[in-house]
Structures are given as structure tokens and as C-alpha cells.
Amino acid sequence: MTGGSGGIGSAVARRLADAGMAVAVHYAGASARAAEVVESITAAGGTTFAAPGDIAEPEAMTRVFDAAEQRFGGVDVVVNTAGIMLLAPVADTDLDTFDRMHRVNVRGTFVVSQLAARRLRPGGALINFSTSITRLQQPTYGAYAATKGAVEAMTLVLARELRGRDVTVNAVAPGPTATPLFLEGKSAELVERIAAASPLGRLGTPEDIASAVAFLAGPDGRWINGQVIFANGGAA
């Protein structure tokens, strides 16, 4: 899985390991956090290893897939949580900022999806990550939402392209989730207002999102294909 050192990514890695899956924890620069995730999974009796790589570079991600195949005998589930979010009004967004998000969120997702399409075994699953912001349409999220709209489009098309392969392709679109990245720079009052906007009266947790991923990755999710699952507690 990509982005395995992040707040949601690490929760997904642990949840899949708890379900008995061997997990390759990909990371870009956060080697210490990736090592912590690997250590926690190993301590709980799971099978895992950490693999670095630039998500937007096919050669780097090919090495990650190769390592997973060599260690585990094949690749059955790919979860693509890696992404970045840089916020500004559309009128004020620097194009270098937009290009940086596009490189990670769109090109990176495309690179990993392409490899998954070629290498997932029958019965496998690809789970990409979008965002509920594509529905919430909040100011300052325009460039970020644009990258995730592209992720949704390629995900839904790929599900149709893999007809006959017995591989499902879906996306999970989290709503506001209590990760360090989300909470950074927000006042307690703002966080409370965002939480109150949900019918359930709280923020999501990384474990909430991991549950949605585990469903799609497991046997109970085999009839869900070509869908965007909005895991947001009804906030959008």
C-alpha cells in the first residue's frame, strides 16, 4: 500500500494486517514513521516490510511491486492512500503548487493504478483515494478537489477496462478525518464546527476509513466494483 506512513495510511496498514494480510508499507520520505508502522504490525504478529519510492516514478514503484511479489509470492490488494493537500483559493493558487499536487495525486495514482492493472492476481482489489471535498465544494480546496476528481474518473474507467480479470477497482472518499495533517493549523473552535456539521456529530477517525478499505479489500466487498465510497458520516 502507498502512503503507509501517513495518518490514514498507517491505520489501513494495521487493519489489513489484523485481517491476516501481509502488507508492504510504502513511504516517500517519512522513513521513521514507516518503521514505526512496520514495528507495530510485526509486534502484533503480522507480516510486513517498508519500501521507499517516489510514487510518481514508474521505475521506483515497479521496485515496490517487485519487492512485494518476491516476499509474498504475488500482489492481491493495492491500496493507494498517498497524496498531498495544499490549500488556497483558485485565484491565488500558484501553478507550481498545483503541479506538485497533480504530480503526486494524479500522476502518482495513475502510475500505481497502471501497475496494479498489470500485476494484480485474479480475485484482487485496487482501492484508490479520493475525498468528500468533491461533494462539499468548500472554498480553498479547488485545486486539491480537481486532482481528486481526476482520481475518481480514472478509477471508474479502469474498473470497466479490467472486465474479465476478476479484479475490483474502487475509490474511498474520506470526509473530515482527525489526522495530524487535517488538524494542523486549525483552532479548536474550527475543529468543533467541522465536527458538528456531521450528522453523527464528530470527525472521522483513521480507523473509520480503514474499516471501509478493509471491506473493499476483503471477501465481503467482492460485489462492489467501479464505485466511489464516501466514508464521511453523512457530512456530504
Side-chain angles (χ1 to χ4, degrees), residues 86 88-90 93 97-98 101-102 105 140-148:
L86 306 169
V90 169
T93 298
T97 296
F98 180 82
M101 277 195 291
H102 190 279
N105 298 354
T140 75
Y141 285 85
Y144 174 70
T147 67
K148 292 302 189 176

Side-chain angles (χ1 to χ4, degrees), residues 200-220:
L200 297 181
R202 66 173 178 86
L203 296 177
T205 67
E207 290 72 26
D208 290 325
I209 311 307
S211 293
V213 173
F215 169 71
L216 293 173
D220 291 339

